[in-house]
């Protein structure tokens, strides 16, 4: 699975792969308001690029 997800650069591409392999896609999460999230997540959320998949942490 890691090989198939390496080239994904957008939510649309992630949803397309999900459809191809027969699992639910990510769907629309709507707007996320950083100030409404726990403080530990606020800095992380504010550093993520808009309309891009988040980096994979291991």
């Amino acid at each position: 699975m890691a090989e198939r997800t390496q080239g994904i650069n957008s939510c649309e591409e992630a949803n397309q792969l999900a459809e191809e392999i027969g699992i639910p896609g990510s769907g629309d999460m709507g707007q996320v308001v950083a100030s409404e999230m726990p403080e530990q997540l606020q800095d992380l959320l504010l550093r993520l690029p808009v309309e891009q998949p988040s980096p994979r942490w291991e």
Side-chain angles (χ1 to χ4, degrees):
M1 181 57 76
E3 290 177 8
R4 292 193 74 179
T5 59
Q6 282 182 337
I8 292 179
N9 296 308
S10 69
C11 294
E12 287 180 31
E13 290 175 2
N15 286 330
Q16 182 178 17
L17 175 59
E19 185 176 326
E20 288 174 13
I21 61 176
I23 61 172
S26 64
D28 185 355
M29 293 180 61
Q31 289 188 330
V32 175
V33 180
S35 63
E36 294 176 0
M37 301 300 286
E39 189 173 324
Q40 296 90 341
L41 292 178
Q42 290 181 21
D43 288 337
L44 173 68
L45 289 172
L46 294 172
R47 287 184 278 152
L48 292 174
V50 176
E51 297 291 327
Q52 296 292 316
S54 57
R56 182 175 156 188
W57 289 287
E58 297 188 29

